[in-house]
Amino acid sequence: MHSTTKRGLFLTLEGVDGAGKSTHIPFMTDFLTQRGIELIVTREPGGTELGEQLRQMLLHVPMGLKTEALLMFAVRNEHIEKVIEPALAAGKWVLCDRFTDASFAYQGGGRQLGTQRIEQLERWTHPQLQPDHTWLFDLDLAIAQERLRRSREMDRFETEHEDFFKRTQQAYHVRVQQNPQRFSVVDSSQRIAAIEHELSQQLDVLLTQ
Ligand code: TYD
């Protein structure tokens, strides 16, 4: 029997560390919930019990770059099978703090593994699934670094050098060029109210689809 449940939308947030994406999750969640959308909010690396344990290792234990990329996709595989797919199939929307674009940016660009390797892992892990919409929070790297330094103890990625973040940000911009219809690029140097206004307009468009 075919289910008549309309599949939920898969929304993701991206950006270099310090670009401020996580700040907007409560606003987006409230906005959608108030409009009657059933939503789950989740993150990568993480999102499952195993994934959250692996997140601690990914963020704090030194490892080789291939290991890092494979673990990111191991976490993602678990997350898709146990959380993302079941929610979307049940008609819920999924708001995910980072997804595969982050692997293209950080492992492909920052760590210089290249896009081909990431594409191979993407094809194996989720050949069909792509976000329906992605926000890239974009900020001058010097400001992003300054925000990070003010925040708290930094992890293995946040303590990387400037060139790493330049490559990561560049790789994000390539993703936008390759998928212009999927991305909204948000200028994160704006006031929070201005960003919220932009986000609400984009969410309204998605709600009418
Ligand atoms: P982040 O999402 O920035 O969380 P917080 O705001 O709590 O610091 O941290 C996750 C880190 O993991 C971030 O530095 C980017 C990195 N990452 C990758 O390198 N590749 C990936 O595929 C994903 C999902 C994250």
Side-chain angles (χ1 to χ4, degrees):
M1 258 210 329
H2 288 291
S3 154
T4 50
T5 308
K6 190 175 174 218
R7 195 175 156 84
L9 290 192
F10 181 30
L11 313 178
T12 60
L13 305 178
E14 299 285 354
V16 295
D17 293 276
K21 66 184 161 48
S22 310
T23 311
H24 302 287
I25 292 176
F27 172 78
M28 296 173 89
T29 306
D30 289 348
F31 188 92
L32 290 170
T33 307
Q34 282 161 15
R35 281 152 188 82
I37 297 295
E38 247 196 283
L39 176 83
I40 66 156
V41 179
T42 184
R43 67 172 179 184
E44 289 201 357
T48 62
E49 208 178 309
L50 173 62
E52 290 294 328
Q53 286 185 32
L54 290 170
R55 177 186 174 93
Q56 288 311 311
M57 300 193 168
L58 275 160
L59 296 190
H60 303 292
V61 180
M63 64 183 74
L65 51 98
K66 266 169 77 179
T67 310
E68 180 183 288
L70 290 165
L71 271 183
M72 288 291 178
F73 275 91
V75 171
R76 183 161 298 135
N77 189 63
E78 197 71 7
H79 194 202
I80 292 168
E81 285 179 4
K82 303 259 164 68
V83 177
I84 298 175
E85 270 300 344
L88 295 174
K92 293 179 190 156
W93 289 30
V94 175
L95 180 61
C96 191
D97 191 346
R98 299 192 187 280
F99 191 63
T100 298
D101 292 307
S103 297
F104 279 99
Y106 281 80
Q107 281 67 51
R111 299 275 192 240
Q112 298 180 290
L113 262 182
T115 50
Q116 252 185 337
R117 286 277 181 241
I118 308 302
E119 273 166 7
Q120 285 173 335
L121 293 171
E122 179 187 41
R123 265 200 301 278
W124 191 33
T125 312
H126 56 98
Q128 310 293 340
L129 180 71
Q130 285 296 329
D132 294 291
H133 200 80
T134 302
W135 284 268
L136 175 65
F137 290 85
D138 204 27
L139 188 63
D140 182 82
L141 284 181
I143 303 174
Q145 281 292 302
E146 182 50 39
R147 283 189 184 175
L148 267 189
R149 273 194 290 272
R150 267 190 273 135
S151 59
R152 66 209 135 95
E153 218 174 295
M154 302 208 286
D155 63 41
R156 229 163 51 76
F157 294 96
E158 293 167 338
T159 48
E160 274 294 340
H161 50 84
E162 202 184 319
D163 285 352
F164 174 86
F165 284 110
K166 267 195 194 138
R167 289 195 299 270
T168 302
Q169 195 170 46
Q170 250 165 21
Y172 266 132
H173 287 148
V174 170
R175 297 293 291 162
V176 175
Q177 281 158 18
Q178 290 171 338
N179 306 275
Q181 71 299 339
R182 173 162 67 85
F183 275 95
S184 293
V185 180
V186 179
D187 172 4
S188 258
S189 66
Q190 302 176 88
R191 285 180 308 112
I192 287 191
I195 296 177
E196 288 180 351
H197 179 67
E198 215 174 297
L199 293 173
S200 57
Q201 286 183 325
Q202 290 148 351
L203 288 170
D204 268 334
V205 173
L206 292 169
L207 281 162
T208 59
Q209 280 179 3

